[in-house]
Amino acid sequence: MSTVLITGANRGLGLEFVRQYEGDGWDVIACCREPDDADRLHAIADEAGRVRIEALDVSDPAAIDALAGRLDGIAIDVLLNNAGMFGPRVQAEHDWRQCFGHFDYDIWQRVLAVNLLAPMKLSEAFVTHVAASEQRRIVVISSALASIAATEPGNYFYRTSKAAVNMAMATLALDLKPQGISVGIFCPGWVATDMGGRGATLKAADSVASLRQLISRLSPDNSGAFTRYNGDPLSW
Ligand SMILES: NC(=O)c1ccc[n+]([C@@H]2O[C@H](COP(=O)([O-])OP(=O)(O)OC[C@H]3O[C@@H](n4cnc5c(N)ncnc54)[C@H](OP(=O)(O)O)[C@@H]3O)[C@@H](O)[C@H]2O)c1
């Protein structure tokens, strides 16, 4: 029996990861900020019996340590850092706070806390759980918007947080190689979720199915690579 821990599991890609891993017979530890409001997650958990719901705000390091303590002794095959925050949107909401000349530095710090620091804190807190598993995989759901080679104007908070987590995870891949732990850095494509919005070209079910294939092929040989959901390499 394999086990996956998923952050941001109450909606969007995270909820779809829960649905698909559970459907495939995995034990799922589904983390979300407000379990009492996570109706769709509870619906899956109530039907399946293999989904354990845990409250977790990923920007709270003490809560991450407490969760790691509660899950002591449980081997985690895949640590899936999915929770993410985009920040203010100029296109959709005419909100300029992520644009040069209008930066809101408090929000920038919150985006960095969720997108960069949380995956690193989770990796530190859960490395022994992952090392004790058969598959030994740590994943971050990043974004093509992190690519410095292909950057465009705007969205500074999101771009910098994802570029930074890419660097951190690529470094982590080297640090964890001796323990046989592989690290995946994936862009899910432009997906129809709350974050992706209405114009998105991909359904969550299709993106997640492809990402799960990539995760299942993660190995020490491809650890630390930055890859699109369809397997294409992405430029840093
Ligand atoms: N959709 C796309 O087109 C796209 C493209 C590239 C990358 N991505 C990445 O894919 C991942 C999933 O995105 P999505 O499209 O599913 O986004 P989404 O629909 O906006 O969902 C975001 C998830 O992250 C959770 N989250 C945010 N801050 C959190 C915190 N402090 N603690 C715990 N959970 C937190 C949210 O929980 P709440 O419900 O509590 O807010 C929600 O479950 C993100 O990392 C995103 O950057 C998405």
Side-chain angles (χ1 to χ4, degrees), residues 119-134:
M120 300 319 297
K121 177 63 192 172
L122 276 143
S123 299
E124 279 199 299
F126 283 98
V127 69
T128 49
H129 303 70
V130 174
S133 75
E134 254 178 48

Side-chain angles (χ1 to χ4, degrees), residues 8-14 33 56-59 82-85 114 141-143 158 162 187-191 193-196:
N10 56 309
R11 59 187 169 101
L13 289 166
R33 276 195 281 202
L56 182 68
D57 181 333
V58 297
S59 65
N82 164 77
M85 178 178 172
V114 172
I141 305 301
S142 182
S143 168
Y158 189 71
K162 294 293 191 181
C187 171
W190 187 17
V191 191
T193 61
D194 293 337
M195 188 183 292

Side-chain angles (χ1 to χ4, degrees), residues 197-232:
R198 290 209 191 102
T201 48
L202 264 175
K203 289 184 184 148
D206 296 331
S207 170
V208 165
S210 300
L211 289 166
R212 289 182 61 237
Q213 283 294 318
L214 293 182
I215 293 168
S216 72
R217 294 201 293 265
L218 253 183
S219 75
D221 292 339
N222 59 22
S223 183
F226 181 26
T227 311
R228 204 186 292 276
Y229 72 97
N230 61 3
D232 288 347

Side-chain angles (χ1 to χ4, degrees), residues 10-232:
N10 56 309
R11 59 187 169 101
L13 289 166
L15 184 68
E16 185 59 30
F17 273 118
V18 174
R19 188 175 287 123
Q20 292 195 19
Y21 274 114
E22 187 284 321
D24 217 9
W26 287 52
D27 284 333
V28 179
I29 301 162
C31 304
C32 61
R33 276 195 281 202
E34 301 287 350
D36 289 348
D37 298 337
D39 295 344
R40 287 179 293 167
L41 182 54
H42 278 290
I44 298 173
D46 291 348
E47 208 170 293
R50 278 191 302 273
V51 180
R52 168 174 176 165
I53 300 175
E54 290 284 349
L56 182 68
D57 181 333
V58 297
S59 65
D60 180 347
I64 292 174
D65 282 333
L67 179 62
R70 284 203 297 284
L71 299 179
D72 190 28
I74 297 180
I76 294 176
D77 292 273
V78 177
L79 174 64
L80 215 172
N81 292 289
N82 164 77
M85 178 178 172
F86 195 90
R89 290 167 178 278
V90 68
Q91 284 93 348
E93 296 158 11
H94 306 293
D95 185 333
W96 291 83
R97 288 176 294 169
Q98 194 171 173
C99 300
F100 183 76
H102 307 268
F103 289 149
D104 182 323
Y105 289 91
D106 289 339
I107 298 177
W108 201 338
Q109 284 183 2
R110 287 214 297 279
V111 174
L112 289 169
V114 172
N115 294 357
L116 165 65
L117 304 181
M120 300 319 297
K121 177 63 192 172
L122 276 143
S123 299
E124 279 199 299
F126 283 98
V127 69
T128 49
H129 303 70
V130 174
S133 75
E134 254 178 48
Q135 298 187 24
R136 284 179 280 175
R137 293 169 174 147
I138 295 178
V139 170
V140 68
I141 305 301
S142 182
S143 168
L145 295 191
S147 173
I148 292 171
T151 198
E152 293 178 337
N155 298 320
Y156 285 76
F157 304 173
Y158 189 71
R159 288 183 194 285
T160 56
S161 67
K162 294 293 191 181
V165 80
N166 284 1
M167 171 56 97
M169 284 287 170
T171 307
L172 186 67
L174 300 177
D175 273 335
L176 296 186
K177 212 161 225 175
Q179 295 184 54
I181 296 175
S182 306
V183 175
I185 307 165
F186 298 123
C187 171
W190 187 17
V191 191
T193 61
D194 293 337
M195 188 183 292
R198 290 209 191 102
T201 48
L202 264 175
K203 289 184 184 148
D206 296 331
S207 170
V208 165
S210 300
L211 289 166
R212 289 182 61 237
Q213 283 294 318
L214 293 182
I215 293 168
S216 72
R217 294 201 293 265
L218 253 183
S219 75
D221 292 339
N222 59 22
S223 183
F226 181 26
T227 311
R228 204 186 292 276
Y229 72 97
N230 61 3
D232 288 347

